[in-house]
Amino acid sequence: MEMCSLERIGMKPGRVYRNLYPAALVEKALSRGEGHLADTGALVVETGKYTGRSPHDKYIVDSEGVHDLIHWGEVNRPIDRETFRAIKNEMIRYMDGREVFLFDGFAGADPEHRRKFRIINEKAWQNLFIRNLLIRPEDEELEQFGEPDFTILAVPGYKCDPERFGIHSEAAIIIDYEAHFVIIAGTQYAGEIKKSVFSVMNFVLPTEDQVLPMHCSANMDPETGETAVFFGLSGTGKTTLSADPARKLIGDDEHGWSDTGVFNIEGGCYAKCIDLKEDEQPEIYHAVKFGAVAENVVMDPKTGEMDFGDRSLTENTRVGYPVDFISNSQKPGRGGVPKAVVFLTADAFGVLPPISRLSGNAAMYQFITGFTAKLAGTERGVREPQPTFSTLFGEPFMPLRAEVYARMLGERLEKYGTRVYLVNTGWSGGPYGEGARIRLKYTRAMISAALNGELDNVKFVHNRQFNLDVPVSCPGVPAEILDPRATWKDRDAYDLQANQLAALFEKNFAEKYPDIDPEIADAGPRQLVEPAGVAV
């Protein structure tokens, strides 16, 4: 069966290993010199010069069937099918006579919206990684698996000739949506496989199933089943805040929203582990065990002890493990229609409220915008916040136009009356370097109040500058921190900083989304002549 499947794409491998269990894959990885075993039992590997995703090496085959659907540009770069086939064929020839590892798995915890993926790997450790990250079929399901909906061929040992193929580098991540095939060449970073699956689902779920795919985490109340989803870019606390011990974790990164509720697209987690500490993130810390794959974590070769604080290989150290390594995970990964949607942003400008409620149009504006702020690399105390706008909180993985996803979100918010909150996990009382980061315990209290309905009967005031409704009180949170302007000693400095951020919002939206519905465009931040303050 395996050989027949590989022969169909023209591959003539040596030995084929299909759907091995973790112990066998770890054994193969170790015997092939692909990694080492840590003292916790985790498999530790290094990915070479590619220690993160390579967005400039990602392409989509520009074919007649998808041309008018794809939002072409800097993110979704076109490539012709002839080049795709040429690289694919050379990858296949490279694998002739070599050991091949196959994994057949599912994307989508809801059987109604599930897709079958076949992953063909050169590396045993990458096969273990994707086994952890996708949904693992039962033995009976494997017997009936049949042909996949999509195939991914990952061959890091094959290096592209960029001059001959007219591409960016020796690496290439290319999706052919019509051929239902993905190739990943020249890079060992396993996140490319995970995100290729997500990119496929972000195309097929809206166009074929009318399901909204989301780059978000999700959890649920274990008693009531009430569900919440959390959108947020790196550093906003998405993983930390959704891993609430009082709630069940549905998933930490990728979900679909159907007519019946939310479902996890994955069957695993891919967590950052730089500076990982047991007392701060115990669930993730204890998931770095046998069966998990740790990428680019520095390990003592004598003791096998991992140093999570060592950045010598990369800041982007990662661990991939099955979701059931988390004790409070929801099995299967499905929840109800979200009662609340939370947009997380780490505002280093220090001007956004720590929590606010959004109208429908304002929610779509913030969803499309995907704002957070990161800190510039500086010297000798020079610190300047840098705005980051990532469409839909996941721009690199969204092949369709932003309005397609935004419209689907807006329809669901209106249909189900879902509340939307913007939560600032960044700074208050001043920008980074002057103010202080909002305390995690207050953020948790605000989110709990929003999810438990404790804000439903609280008075809100409207912030005209950012078009947000701000609560005047929240259980467990000092009232004085809820109005960001009031936390600044110099109110004029706040007004100046707020106007600066509002101008960045306006510029970003005008440049990237000139054709968006005016009602949505008008629902965002705006520059003001007079102080922003709040107005009922």
Side-chain angles (χ1 to χ4, degrees):
M1 182 176 184
E2 300 93 330
M3 188 62 69
C4 181
S5 175
L6 293 174
E7 284 179 345
R8 192 171 289 113
I9 65 171
M11 187 180 291
K12 301 173 183 177
R15 188 158 185 183
V16 179
Y17 300 95
R18 182 170 187 247
N19 295 314
L20 295 184
Y21 281 86
L25 284 170
V26 170
E27 190 175 58
K28 290 298 296 182
L30 294 174
S31 68
R32 288 159 53 96
E34 295 178 3
H36 302 278
L37 216 57
D39 60 355
T40 66
L43 180 66
V44 179
V45 300
E46 294 184 15
T47 63
K49 72 181 199 178
Y50 291 95
T51 58
R53 289 184 300 102
S54 187
H56 296 299
D57 296 312
K58 180 184 173 188
Y59 304 91
I60 296 173
V61 173
D62 188 1
S63 60
E64 185 177 351
V66 304
H67 179 80
D68 292 336
L69 297 173
I70 303 297
H71 184 206
W72 302 108
E74 284 299 308
V75 172
N76 298 310
R77 302 161 182 260
I79 197 168
D80 60 81
R81 180 162 281 149
E82 289 71 25
T83 303
F84 169 80
R85 285 174 174 166
I87 297 174
K88 173 186 170 185
N89 288 338
E90 291 195 7
M91 293 170 68
I92 289 170
R93 293 284 69 77
Y94 172 92
M95 289 303 298
D96 286 349
R98 299 175 186 264
E99 290 185 322
V100 173
F101 299 87
L102 265 68
F103 172 68
D104 292 325
F106 299 127
D110 184 344
E112 292 293 317
H113 304 292
R114 175 172 288 173
R115 296 297 189 277
K116 298 184 293 183
F117 281 81
R118 176 161 295 155
I119 317 296
I120 305 170
N121 292 110
E122 174 189 6
K123 300 285 188 181
W125 80 261
Q126 286 195 330
N127 201 246
L128 174 60
F129 169 86
I130 199 61
R131 186 186 191 279
N132 287 345
L133 267 292
L134 287 181
I135 296 169
R136 297 156 290 282
E138 301 292 340
D139 289 345
E140 184 179 336
E141 291 174 316
L142 278 177
E143 292 175 6
Q144 302 171 1
F145 194 84
E147 288 302 306
D149 297 307
F150 280 84
T151 299
I152 298 178
L153 174 62
V155 185
Y158 169 79
K159 311 298 183 185
C160 301
D161 182 337
E163 289 189 13
R164 182 157 61 92
F165 293 122
I167 58 178
H168 180 258
S169 77
E170 65 186 24
I173 304 96
I174 309 177
I175 301 176
D176 188 333
Y177 285 112
E178 279 200 295
H180 291 216
F181 210 100
V182 182
I183 58 175
I184 303 173
T187 170
Q188 286 195 68
Y189 182 65
E192 298 285 15
I193 309 174
K194 163 190 159 68
K195 289 305 187 186
S196 291
V197 173
F198 190 39
S199 296
V200 167
M201 297 299 281
N202 288 334
F203 180 86
V204 299
L205 287 179
T207 59
E208 298 177 7
D209 293 19
Q210 288 72 56
V211 167
L212 171 63
M214 304 176 293
H215 188 212
C216 69
S217 59
N219 65 23
M220 63 185 289
D221 186 297
E223 302 298 329
T224 66
E226 289 182 342
T227 301
V229 297
F230 300 79
F231 292 87
L233 300 172
S234 179
T236 60
K238 176 165 62 81
T239 299
T240 299
L241 292 167
S242 61
D244 185 337
R247 296 172 68 89
K248 288 281 199 178
L249 179 69
I250 299 171
D252 78 331
D253 196 49
E254 304 171 7
H255 294 83
W257 184 346
S258 71
D259 289 336
T260 57
V262 166
F263 61 89
N264 194 356
I265 290 174
E266 301 182 294
C269 301
Y270 191 38
K272 288 185 176 181
C273 47
I274 195 70
D275 295 327
L276 181 63
K277 296 180 177 63
E278 184 178 14
D279 59 340
E280 293 179 359
Q281 293 178 288
E283 293 280 8
I284 297 174
Y285 185 89
H286 291 292
V288 192
K289 61 184 181 180
F290 184 81
V293 178
E295 278 186 323
N296 300 311
V297 175
V298 175
M299 186 186 80
D300 187 314
K302 292 182 179 179
T303 66
E305 184 178 357
M306 290 175 284
D307 184 351
F308 293 118
D310 193 321
R311 291 162 162 76
S312 58
L313 293 177
T314 178
E315 180 89 15
N316 188 38
T317 55
R318 294 272 184 168
V319 59
Y321 51 87
V323 70
D324 52 23
F325 276 20
I326 301 296
S327 61
N328 68 329
S329 61
Q330 169 68 10
K331 308 180 196 63
R334 300 175 66 181
V337 170
K339 179 184 178 183
V341 169
V342 178
F343 296 146
L344 298 168
T345 183
D347 173 27
F349 292 81
V351 297
L352 291 177
I355 187 168
S356 53
R357 194 172 62 198
L358 304 177
S359 67
N361 284 331
M364 284 188 281
Y365 180 99
Q366 294 292 341
F367 181 52
I368 290 171
T369 301
F371 167 73
T372 191
K374 61 182 178 181
L375 304 174
T378 57
E379 297 180 8
R380 303 178 69 84
V382 178
R383 295 177 289 264
E384 181 183 350
Q386 298 293 324
T388 300
F389 296 98
S390 182
T391 306
L392 313 166
F393 296 94
E395 185 170 11
F397 325 115
M398 302 297 180
L400 309 178
R401 296 188 178 279
E403 52 263 40
V404 173
Y405 304 100
R407 184 177 64 252
M408 295 181 77
L409 176 67
E411 290 169 353
R412 283 157 176 74
L413 297 178
E414 184 176 0
K415 180 177 180 179
Y416 300 111
T418 303
R419 298 274 195 177
V420 185
Y421 297 91
L422 179 67
V423 172
N424 174 20
T425 61
W427 278 259
S428 180
Y432 176 86
E434 297 178 20
R437 188 132 197 199
I438 297 167
R439 295 176 67 180
L440 179 60
K441 75 171 187 176
Y442 292 151
T443 301
R444 286 194 183 279
M446 288 182 278
I447 289 177
S448 293
L451 302 189
N452 296 335
E454 293 176 304
L455 295 182
D456 291 352
N457 298 315
V458 169
K459 180 184 176 183
F460 283 75
V461 292
H462 188 69
N463 182 304
R464 292 182 296 113
Q465 176 125 55
F466 293 105
N467 196 31
L468 310 168
D469 294 317
V470 183
V472 298
S473 65
C474 178
V477 180
E480 58 268 20
I481 76 167
L482 295 174
D483 177 4
R485 189 170 185 263
T487 65
W488 284 53
K489 294 179 180 178
D490 185 341
R491 306 295 171 85
D492 291 337
Y494 171 90
D495 296 336
L496 185 65
Q497 187 88 325
N499 257 356
Q500 180 185 350
L501 179 57
L504 293 171
F505 268 96
E506 290 178 324
K507 181 175 183 289
N508 174 73
F509 207 89
E511 291 178 352
K512 293 176 73 171
Y513 320 110
D515 301 321
I516 292 284
D517 186 333
E519 291 185 351
I520 297 176
D522 291 341
R526 69 202 66 179
Q527 298 180 72
L528 298 179
V529 176
E530 74 279 8
V534 291
V536 178

